[in-house]
Amino acid sequence: QVQLVESGGGLVQPGGSLRLSCAASMNIFNNNRMGWYRQAPGKQRELVATITGDGYTVYADSVKGRFTISRDNAKNTVTLQMNSLKPEDTAVYYCYGRSSWRDYWGQGTQVTVSS
């Protein structure tokens, strides 16, 4: 079974930082995009950041300059460093991976930004 397992979510104060990590159980994503999406209550899931196999990144305007996505193909991991967090960043964050056959999603991890 192919799995994307996330870690690093939690509660943080505004202005704080969190680091989300996603580990893939198999190395089927190395030549394809991986990324992070989020879904806040009452809203649609939206792209946060993606990264291609060769390192090209795309960020949502709302997080650009604050979040950084990276990947380690040798470890089958993708990471989202989240800095200067705002209350509007509160959402369930999902790891995403594209294989040769289909899209895969992590289970989601809650990020709550609150005082």
Side-chain angles (χ1 to χ4, degrees):
Q1 294 274 27
V2 177
Q3 290 183 302
L4 295 171
V5 181
E6 301 175 345
S7 62
L11 175 65
V12 66
Q13 293 183 327
S17 298
L18 283 175
R19 179 178 176 270
L20 304 183
S21 295
C22 174
S25 60
M26 298 176 64
N27 62 343
I28 62 173
F29 306 109
N30 287 359
N31 296 319
N32 297 287
R33 280 194 302 164
M34 298 189 73
W36 294 89
Y37 291 70
R38 68 186 181 187
Q39 187 167 22
K43 294 187 176 181
Q44 291 184 298
R45 187 175 300 184
E46 65 176 355
L47 181 146
V48 177
T50 60
I51 183 168
T52 64
D54 59 356
Y56 183 81
T57 57
V58 174
Y59 295 93
D61 288 341
S62 60
V63 308
K64 196 171 185 178
R66 300 188 297 120
F67 293 7
T68 302
I69 189 170
S70 61
R71 67 189 294 166
D72 187 336
N73 289 337
K75 297 180 180 179
N76 302 319
T77 58
V78 60
T79 299
L80 185 68
Q81 179 66 46
M82 308 166 65
N83 299 325
S84 302
L85 283 162
K86 305 175 181 179
E88 52 262 45
D89 294 319
T90 296
V92 177
Y93 284 70
Y94 296 91
C95 182
Y96 163 86
R98 174 68 177 179
S99 75
S100 299
W101 313 288
R102 52 160 285 187
D103 296 336
Y104 290 88
W105 295 92
Q107 76 284 357
T109 184
Q110 178 69 48
V111 172
T112 302
V113 184
S114 176
S115 298

